[in-house]
Amino acid sequence: MKLGTRAYYSNQTIKQRFGFWIGAVIVGLGFLIIVPLYMTEKKDKLDEAENQLQQVVALQSLYIESWTQEKLDTIKRFASSEDAKLHHINNMKKDVENYSRVNSEFAMIFYVDNDGYTYSDTNPSNKKYVGDRPYFEQAVLKKNYISDVMKSKETDTSMITFSAPILDDQNNFQGAIVGIVTLEILDKLMKQLSFGKTGEVFILDSKGKVVAASRTSSKTMLEANMTSEMVNRAAAGSTSTDSYIGFYGKKVYGKYKWSEGKTWIVIGEITENEVFQKLNQLTITVSLIVVAALLLSFAAAVTLASRIERPVRYLLRATKVIQNGNYNYQIDEDKIKRAPIELRELCATFNMMSNKLKTNITLLEHSALVDPLTQIHNRRYMMQEGDRQLQVCMADDKPCSVIMLDIDHFKKINDTYGHLIGDRVLHHIASLLRQYAGADCIVARYGGEEFILLASFKDAQKSVGLAEMLRCCLMENPYRNEEVEIQLTASIGVAEYSSKLAFGTTVLEDMVSRADYALYRAKSAGRNKVELDQ
């Protein structure tokens, strides 16, 4: 055998010997790569899955805690109002109705007197005793209360109850404000919490019953008492990271987190198949590469592939970074200096395009919301940010007004001094408005010589006063340069927030339309006036 082997080896050509040794090296390297890679990647994937689950559970727990605290804060705000302390029930109902227009997550908010009775909206004489309910008992003890998931005695609906005591100025118990949220609202929130293909978040009550889950298919679980190893770990306070059989009977990895006071358990689970899916795909891919390299057996091809693969990897990584919003990402050219010249040129072109893309994106973002002539916000910004500010005022039950301002006889300025001077006049006016309008006002150019201001937390009278001040300010600060002085006046219309829409489809559109009509009346009345929408 030795002589036969020697004879066979002696009769091999250089090409065959080269192929033999390259094949042997590739096979050896394949095993040396695949086995440690598999073991290392397996550990990394487990760590990655554990970290992801830890973050998901922590974030979702914080989300649920924030959500419940927000609901409780709403009830506490109603309970601490003067209307609640003075038993002005009708006023409280109006406050609840105004709140419901913006936030309708509460199925019901109602008042309970200090004797434990709640009254019908339609028939005040029809009262109901709820003094034996936990939320009233806690209110009597002057404590806020968030219930476990419970069943309504009347409708058999699963719900969560929030309550807060009403205390007078001497800290005496006067009754309670109670809010009810059904699990339908919690289900809608949970739909946003899934992650990956199989990752899911569950909310369990303190007894270990699943009350909400993030995937639609999980709704059937809510009526049954489901359990898993993770529930037992949560009850025992275990920190084990081993896989287990989850709620659906599949092998999963999971994490849990108790809420404050141990009212809820948030559990996140992801299947073992998904955790190792990419690892298995990677192992198969590497094996195929080893086989392909073994069949090819050309060192030049291996070297070339290595030199090409690196810059391509950098390019792919760079495109993903740009896809995530970092538009000025640059590839380090020192890392690819040994790559073929075509790839070096491609990376240089990519860097140039990345730099240009960042510049263009910055300009687009700026021009989309800022008027290029006056350098104040434009109409688009007003309709977006103004609507958000208006919603804040509405939610806090605060006043808000729109001020429409039009420069009188601006066409005459353009015709007399030219459009260049007219543009400078507009810039001058915008600077004055921005300087004197105040921090609570959004100032924008609405179009042409028309400007718009959103005065947050100002009612009609205060807004009229602000408008009158701005009108006088324009008169007292004419436009001047070395050659001309141009006196300025403006006609102004003011409209305050109203819940009844007369124009448009949104509250802000309605306010703008009414302020515009008031502006038209100011112009019709002789200009240089302030008119309030009636």
Side-chain angles (χ1 to χ4, degrees):
M1 290 295 294
K2 290 183 179 180
L3 291 176
T5 302
R6 286 181 181 177
Y8 174 76
Y9 188 79
S10 299
N11 292 328
Q12 283 186 327
T13 64
I14 295 176
K15 182 178 180 180
Q16 288 173 329
R17 290 187 181 185
F18 183 80
F20 172 80
W21 284 110
I22 289 295
V25 170
I26 291 176
V27 170
L29 287 176
F31 280 106
L32 290 175
I33 291 173
I34 292 175
V35 174
L37 177 66
Y38 183 86
M39 300 304 295
T40 302
E41 285 294 316
K42 181 177 181 180
K43 182 179 183 304
D44 289 343
K45 292 299 180 183
L46 285 174
D47 291 342
E48 181 182 343
E50 183 177 348
N51 290 335
Q52 183 184 25
L53 286 167
Q54 188 73 43
Q55 292 175 6
V56 167
V57 167
L59 287 174
Q60 307 316 338
S61 177
L62 181 62
Y63 185 81
I64 296 301
E65 288 283 352
S66 175
W67 178 78
T68 55
Q69 187 60 46
E70 179 189 349
K71 303 300 119 184
L72 181 60
D73 287 344
T74 299
I75 298 303
K76 288 166 61 179
R77 188 173 73 247
F78 283 120
S80 63
S81 68
E82 289 299 320
D83 290 330
K85 293 178 180 180
L86 299 175
H87 297 184
H88 294 166
I89 308 303
N90 291 331
N91 290 341
M92 281 195 295
K93 289 180 179 178
K94 290 180 180 178
D95 290 341
V96 170
E97 290 173 359
N98 291 332
Y99 172 78
S100 298
R101 292 192 187 100
V102 179
N103 188 324
S104 58
E105 291 188 355
F106 280 103
M108 182 187 304
I109 300 176
F110 58 91
Y111 163 76
V112 182
D113 65 20
N114 57 1
D115 293 325
Y117 288 93
T118 181
Y119 300 86
S120 170
D121 289 341
T122 57
N123 185 7
S125 63
N126 183 12
K127 59 184 182 179
K128 177 182 175 183
Y129 183 71
V130 294
D132 57 346
R133 306 294 172 86
Y135 55 77
F136 183 80
E137 293 174 349
Q138 292 297 313
V140 171
L141 298 175
K142 302 178 183 179
K143 294 181 179 180
N144 301 315
Y145 177 74
I146 302 176
S147 72
D148 287 338
V149 175
M150 51 190 293
K151 290 281 188 178
S152 170
K153 294 182 179 180
E154 292 78 13
T155 63
D156 199 39
T157 303
S158 296
M159 62 185 187
I160 304 169
T161 303
F162 301 79
S163 68
I166 300 172
L167 305 175
D168 62 17
D169 295 335
Q170 286 73 40
N171 203 37
N172 297 318
F173 176 70
Q174 297 294 311
I177 297 294
V178 182
I180 294 175
V181 177
T182 65
L183 286 191
E184 293 179 359
I185 297 298
L186 193 56
D187 285 341
K188 291 179 181 178
L189 293 174
M190 290 296 294
K191 287 181 181 178
Q192 308 171 22
L193 307 184
S194 299
F195 59 97
K197 293 181 179 179
T198 61
E200 185 162 10
V201 179
F202 303 90
I203 296 181
L204 291 76
D205 63 17
S206 57
K207 299 176 182 177
K209 180 181 178 182
V210 178
V211 296
S214 58
R215 294 190 183 274
T216 305
S217 60
S218 302
K219 288 184 178 180
T220 56
M221 302 167 52
L222 304 182
E223 298 301 325
N225 287 323
M226 304 293 291
T227 187
S228 76
E229 173 64 22
M230 187 53 65
V231 177
N232 298 330
R233 292 180 188 177
S238 172
T239 58
S240 173
T241 59
D242 296 336
S243 60
Y244 60 93
I245 302 301
F247 288 100
Y248 294 120
K250 296 181 180 179
K251 206 167 186 180
V252 298
Y253 289 93
K255 285 285 183 181
Y256 72 88
K257 183 175 177 60
W258 284 97
S259 66
E260 292 185 11
K262 292 195 173 183
T263 304
W264 309 85
I265 314 174
V266 178
I267 293 179
E269 290 184 349
I270 188 169
T271 63
E272 187 180 60
N273 288 337
E274 183 172 353
V275 171
F276 295 120
Q277 181 181 12
K278 291 184 178 180
L279 175 60
N280 294 334
Q281 292 174 349
L282 178 63
T283 303
I284 294 172
T285 301
V286 173
S287 300
L288 291 176
I289 290 175
V290 171
V291 172
L294 178 62
L295 296 175
L296 294 174
S297 299
F298 292 108
V302 173
T303 303
L304 181 61
S306 176
R307 292 189 177 183
I308 291 176
E309 185 258 351
R310 175 172 289 184
V312 170
R313 187 169 65 245
Y314 285 131
L315 281 170
L316 180 60
R317 182 188 302 167
T319 57
K320 290 182 177 179
V321 171
I322 285 182
Q323 184 180 6
N324 291 331
N326 186 7
Y327 300 112
N328 61 346
Y329 182 81
Q330 299 284 298
I331 298 174
D332 187 354
E333 294 183 358
D334 289 337
K335 294 183 178 180
I336 56 170
K337 59 185 178 182
R338 299 183 61 186
I341 187 170
E342 295 88 351
L343 290 174
R344 296 203 305 271
E345 291 177 353
L346 180 61
C347 290
T349 302
F350 174 88
N351 287 342
M352 181 180 66
M353 292 175 62
S354 171
N355 186 53
K356 190 172 182 180
L357 178 62
K358 175 61 178 177
T359 301
N360 291 339
I361 289 294
T362 301
L363 290 174
L364 286 173
E365 290 176 345
H366 183 268
S367 62
L369 300 175
V370 176
D371 177 58
L373 175 61
T374 61
Q375 292 303 303
I376 63 174
H377 295 302
N378 59 16
R379 180 174 180 172
R380 179 180 181 183
Y381 180 89
M382 172 60 73
M383 300 312 290
Q384 291 178 355
E385 180 62 18
D387 186 68
R388 190 187 71 81
Q389 291 287 350
L390 178 58
Q391 294 299 325
V392 171
C393 291
M394 293 166 59
D396 294 337
D397 199 21
K398 300 293 185 181
C400 188
S401 302
V402 164
I403 300 173
M404 297 289 292
L405 183 148
D406 187 270
I407 307 306
D408 294 332
H409 305 297
F410 184 77
K411 183 177 183 301
K412 184 177 180 181
I413 295 175
N414 279 334
D415 293 342
T416 303
Y417 302 102
H419 287 278
L420 180 60
I421 294 296
D423 290 346
R424 292 176 181 175
V425 169
L426 290 176
H427 189 276
H428 171 71
I429 293 169
S431 299
L432 292 174
L433 294 179
R434 183 168 49 190
Q435 180 180 355
Y436 293 102
D440 290 335
C441 284
I442 299 176
V443 180
R445 184 184 179 193
Y446 198 70
E449 65 272 20
E450 197 170 22
F451 296 84
I452 182 171
L453 294 84
L454 182 74
S456 300
F457 311 114
K458 286 184 173 61
D459 59 17
Q461 295 306 316
K462 290 183 179 179
S463 298
V464 167
L466 173 61
E468 186 64 32
M469 183 271 289
L470 293 175
R471 185 187 67 82
C472 295
C473 177
L474 291 178
M475 294 178 63
E476 295 167 359
N477 294 273
Y479 170 78
R480 295 186 182 93
N481 62 20
E482 297 81 3
E483 301 175 357
V484 298
E485 177 176 313
I486 302 174
Q487 295 294 328
L488 301 172
T489 63
S491 299
I492 304 176
V494 179
E496 186 182 7
Y497 155 71
S498 173
S499 59
K500 295 181 180 179
L501 299 185
F503 307 96
T505 58
T506 67
V507 175
L508 182 57
E509 288 179 357
D510 175 72
M511 293 171 68
V512 171
S513 297
R514 290 188 288 110
D516 202 39
Y517 279 112
L519 170 62
Y520 178 78
R521 291 202 309 274
K523 282 186 169 294
S524 299
R527 293 184 170 84
N528 195 22
K529 294 180 181 296
V530 175
E531 288 288 338
L532 173 64
D533 171 64
Q534 301 297 330

